[in-house]
């Protein structure tokens, strides 16, 4: 394909070059001028028309021909090792049973009324079992939508459809600017090593079991290296701050959930990480696992402090960064 | 820093986490097939009585294909949900005979199960309570309405366990 398209510019240049020269040779004069001094275009010569026709035929031939496929560009494999289950998501046979049941098409034999190759999925949109993992537009499953039903409206009165967003958008405010730089924050962690270790232990015992996406031994080595030698990148340091913030939050004995970011419950560490990682997300165009992990853990922190919209936003940001890995 | 990895198939925490991810996919399938709104779509339920009642109930067209009735949808999705549940490893599968969760992971799996079950059957319950003549309610609508109510009851029991403590799912538990 590439060599055929390379012919086109050359042919076009040839066709374009010849008419002017040819016309000049034929007439032996410059373009005609009208009585008011404007240059009027030369009448097209037969030779010009022939050249244009050749060019047109060339384009038509190239559009109609079956282009030989170039060798497919092999997908760039990420430099970092993939998680064990990353590839198996497309291979249901290799999955634990409860995962395989969700990734294989539903059994059509139990529902003979279904047309062939039709599942409960919409047959005109997605093949069975390949529905996108997104919230479909217009779905009505949240509790708030139930309040909008006609029958419920008769009981409770009008319930605005966007009531949830009205409430939550007033609440969702990011954390305040941190009181110290990243270097200073990491210095605090080094200085108060006992409490830092206590917060880390709380993270591993209370948070990690529910989101086992870090390997404890490796991350502990990573954390120690950051403490001793400083972070390789700001995202590395921010990730360490988020983990400590989570541990401090879950260690808090506050009986009530905070309405705002409480600096005593890891809020200060969280605030520092928040401003670093959101800025990094905006300004960096490379994939960095620390950045993505930090965004996800910040989202988890925000879930604990009842900030669902902001939490969702951070997960969305992490997802877009992950797409850069997949698209390499 | 290495990518996350799941290698130990006996890791209870990892298995619970993956189970929650997998049921999320099933929930998405439920959303896509039963609840995705398609303005102007010609796809409507096959049963005329249900079609006529949807606007009165304030319920939009479902995503049901013209050849797929709501009964088939609900039956198939409930079957898929039960298949998922039965395939959970023994060490994480909740004991539904007991109404009380053993721990938070057990509670979350229960809440997802009951939530999915009730969401599948909710359209039937809404229809049954929309003022339609009792004689016009198909038997499967009654059956699935009962499933929906039972699932809601179990969900509330599970939610009361979760909401006694601070978790990252408190808000979601209330909103589901």
């Amino acid at each position: 394909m590439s060599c055929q398209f390379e012919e086109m510019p050359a042919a076009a240049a040839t066709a374009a070059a010849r008419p002017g020269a040819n016309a000049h040779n034929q007439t032996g004069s410059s373009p005609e001028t009208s009585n008011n001094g404007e240059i009027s275009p030369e009448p097209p010569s037969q030779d010009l028309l022939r050249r244009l026709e050749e060019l047109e035929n060339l384009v038509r031939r190239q559009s109609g021909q079956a282009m030989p496929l170039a060798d497919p560009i092999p997908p760039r494999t990420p430099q970092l090792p993939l998680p064990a289950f990353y590839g198996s998501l497309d291979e249901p046979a290799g999955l634990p049973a409860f995962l395989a049941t969700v990734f294989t098409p539903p059994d059509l034999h139990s529902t003979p009324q279904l047309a062939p190759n039709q599942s409960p999925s919409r047959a005109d949109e997605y093949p069975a079992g390949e529905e996108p993992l997104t919230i479909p537009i217009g779905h009505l499953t949240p509790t708030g939508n139930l309040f909008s039903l006609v029958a419920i409206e008769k009981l409770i009165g009008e319930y605005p459809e966007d009531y949830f967003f009205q409430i939550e958008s007033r609440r969702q405010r990011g954390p305040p600017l941190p009181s110290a730089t990243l270097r200073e924050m990491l210095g605090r962690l080094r200085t108060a090593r006992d409490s830092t270790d206590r917060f880390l232990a709380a993270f591993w015992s209370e948070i990690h079991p529910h989101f086992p996406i870090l390997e404890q031994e490796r991350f502990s080595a990573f954390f120690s290296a950051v403490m001793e030698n400083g972070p390789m990148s700001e995202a590395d340091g921010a990730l360490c701050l988020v983990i400590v913030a989570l541990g401090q939050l879950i260690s808090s004995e506050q009986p009530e959930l905070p309405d705002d970011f409480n600096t005593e419950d890891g809020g200060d560490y969280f605030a520092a990480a928040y401003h670093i990682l959101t800025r990094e997300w905006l300004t960096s165009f490379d994939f960095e696992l620390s950045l993505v992990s930090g965004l996800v853990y910040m989202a988890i922190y925000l879930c604990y402090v009842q900030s669902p919209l902001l939490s969702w936003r951070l997960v969305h940001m992490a997802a877009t960064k992950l797409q850069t890995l997949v698209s390499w | 820093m290495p990518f996350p990895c799941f290698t130990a198939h006996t890791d209870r925490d990892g298995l619970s986490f993956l189970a929650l991810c997998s049921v999320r996919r099933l929930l998405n399938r439920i959303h896509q097939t039963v609840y995705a709104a398609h303005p102007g779509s010609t796809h409507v339920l096959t049963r005329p009585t249900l079609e006529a009642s949807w606007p009165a109930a304030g319920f939009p067209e479902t995503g049901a294909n013209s050849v797929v009735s709501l009964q088939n949808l609900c039956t198939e999705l409930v079957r898929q949900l039960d298949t998922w549940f039965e395939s959970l490893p023994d060490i994480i599968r909740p004991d539904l005979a007991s109404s009380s969760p053993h721990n938070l992971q057990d509670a979350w799996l229960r809440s997802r199960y009951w939530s999915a079950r009730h969401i599948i059957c909710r359209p039937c319950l809404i229809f049954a309570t929309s003022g339609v003549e009792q004689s016009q309610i198909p038997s499967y609508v009654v059956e699935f309405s009962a499933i929906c109510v039972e699932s809601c009851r179990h969900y509330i029991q599970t939610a009361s366990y979760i909401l006694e403590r601070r978790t990252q799912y408190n808000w979601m538990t209330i909103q589901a």
Side-chain angles (χ1 to χ4, degrees):
Chain A
M1 175 185 274
S2 59
C3 61
Q4 288 175 323
F5 274 112
E6 281 171 0
E7 289 176 19
M8 285 187 61
T14 304
R18 286 184 186 179
N22 225 17
H24 191 80
N25 290 337
Q26 283 184 346
T27 61
S29 63
S30 59
E32 295 176 345
T33 55
S34 62
N35 292 333
N36 58 9
E38 292 178 351
I39 299 175
S40 61
E42 287 184 353
S45 65
Q46 290 300 316
D47 192 53
L48 170 62
L49 292 174
R50 184 175 61 81
R51 298 295 179 189
L52 290 174
E53 189 174 341
E54 283 178 6
L55 182 60
E56 187 177 341
N57 289 335
L58 175 63
V59 172
R60 191 177 294 119
R61 280 199 304 273
Q62 296 209 351
S63 301
Q65 281 178 358
M67 302 295 184
L69 294 176
D71 291 334
I73 300 172
R76 175 179 165 179
T77 55
Q79 299 299 317
L80 299 169
L82 291 172
F85 60 81
Y86 183 82
S88 64
L89 287 176
D90 296 325
E91 300 169 0
L95 290 169
F98 68 91
L99 284 179
T101 58
V102 187
F103 288 99
T104 50
D107 181 11
L108 300 180
H109 297 300
S110 64
T111 54
Q113 294 88 340
L114 291 175
N117 296 325
Q118 281 187 331
S119 76
S121 302
R122 291 178 57 81
D124 61 343
E125 287 200 6
Y126 308 108
E130 294 186 14
E131 300 88 354
L133 202 64
T134 58
I135 301 174
I137 296 173
H139 90 99
L140 300 171
T141 53
T143 304
N145 291 107
L146 283 177
F147 293 146
S148 303
L149 291 175
V150 172
I152 304 297
E153 198 175 88
K154 294 177 183 175
L155 297 175
I156 66 172
E158 185 181 354
Y159 187 89
E161 286 190 14
D162 62 343
Y163 194 44
F164 159 72
F165 284 104
Q166 288 181 20
I167 295 175
E168 292 297 330
S169 59
R170 286 193 213 113
R171 291 185 56 238
Q172 307 296 310
R173 292 287 182 265
L177 288 173
S179 60
T181 64
L182 174 62
R183 181 191 297 269
E184 290 167 348
M185 289 281 180
L186 294 177
R188 284 185 203 172
L189 294 182
R190 264 185 241 106
T191 306
R193 196 58 202 238
D194 286 345
S195 58
T196 300
D197 289 343
R198 183 162 49 87
F199 296 149
L200 285 175
F203 169 80
W204 292 117
S205 64
E206 304 296 329
I207 308 286
H208 176 73
H210 309 303
F211 292 95
I213 56 179
L214 286 179
E215 192 176 334
Q216 182 168 356
E217 190 176 330
R218 290 194 187 185
F219 182 80
S220 297
F222 169 82
F223 188 89
S224 297
V226 169
M227 287 294 105
E228 291 172 13
N229 309 321
M232 297 288 288
S233 67
E234 292 215 324
D236 284 355
L239 174 61
C240 294
L241 291 179
V242 175
I243 300 300
V244 172
L246 274 166
Q248 188 171 12
L249 177 69
I250 206 66
S251 303
S252 167
E253 294 180 354
Q254 291 284 340
E256 298 172 0
L257 294 170
D259 288 334
D260 203 343
F261 296 95
N262 187 341
T263 56
E264 294 182 357
D265 293 337
D268 211 20
Y269 293 133
F270 176 82
Y274 177 89
H275 287 281
I276 291 170
L277 292 177
T278 50
R279 186 190 66 232
E280 284 292 307
W281 178 87
L282 199 58
T283 57
S284 77
F285 297 93
D286 288 336
F287 177 80
E288 193 173 357
L289 189 55
S290 297
L291 172 59
V292 174
S293 304
L295 289 170
V296 170
Y297 277 111
M298 286 203 301
I300 294 172
Y301 183 101
L302 289 167
C303 283
Y304 273 99
V305 298
Q306 311 301 306
S307 294
L309 287 185
L310 211 48
S311 175
W312 171 85
R313 175 59 57 81
L314 291 175
V315 169
H316 183 256
M317 291 166 65
T320 57
K321 270 300 177 186
L322 275 173
Q323 283 179 330
T324 62
L325 172 67
V326 176
S327 60
W328 282 349
Chain B
M1 193 176 69
F3 269 94
C5 180
F6 176 70
T7 54
H9 287 249
T10 56
D11 175 17
R12 186 191 178 94
D13 295 337
L15 287 172
S16 294
F17 181 69
L18 288 176
L20 290 173
C21 293
S22 63
V23 76
R24 184 71 185 95
R25 191 171 182 104
L26 183 56
L27 279 165
N28 261 71
R29 181 176 297 168
I30 296 168
H31 291 146
Q32 289 284 351
T33 56
V34 179
Y35 289 93
H38 296 271
S41 170
T42 57
H43 293 160
V44 295
L45 298 171
T46 56
R47 293 180 179 270
T49 53
L50 286 175
E51 288 174 14
S53 299
W54 285 136
F59 199 81
E61 294 177 7
T62 72
N65 188 284
S66 58
V67 299
V68 177
S69 70
L70 183 62
Q71 180 180 11
N72 288 345
L73 266 177
C74 293
T75 302
E76 175 60 15
L77 290 172
V78 167
R79 187 198 67 79
Q80 290 186 22
L81 178 63
D82 289 338
T83 302
W84 167 82
F85 186 83
E86 292 302 322
S87 64
L88 290 175
D90 291 341
I91 59 173
I92 63 169
R93 189 189 315 127
D95 178 14
L96 297 182
S98 166
S99 61
S100 180
H102 299 300
N103 50 46
L104 270 179
Q105 287 168 337
D106 185 276
W108 287 333
L109 286 172
R110 285 169 181 260
S111 68
R112 285 295 195 175
Y113 174 79
W114 292 124
S115 172
R117 202 171 173 85
H118 119 257
I119 285 174
I120 291 170
C121 305
R122 187 194 287 181
C124 294
L125 180 62
I126 290 176
F127 172 74
T129 55
S130 61
V132 179
E133 286 291 327
Q134 196 171 2
S135 59
Q136 292 187 354
I137 301 177
S139 59
Y140 77 87
V141 173
V142 176
E143 176 190 343
F144 285 120
S145 297
I147 292 175
C148 184
V149 172
E150 181 198 21
S151 302
C152 288
R153 189 167 54 83
H154 286 296
Y155 181 87
I156 292 171
Q157 280 180 327
T158 306
S160 63
Y161 176 90
I162 294 173
L163 295 176
E164 286 179 353
R165 49 194 53 79
R166 176 189 292 187
T167 75
Q168 66 272 36
Y169 287 147
N170 281 24
W171 180 88
M172 189 198 73
T173 300
I174 295 171
Q175 288 293 319

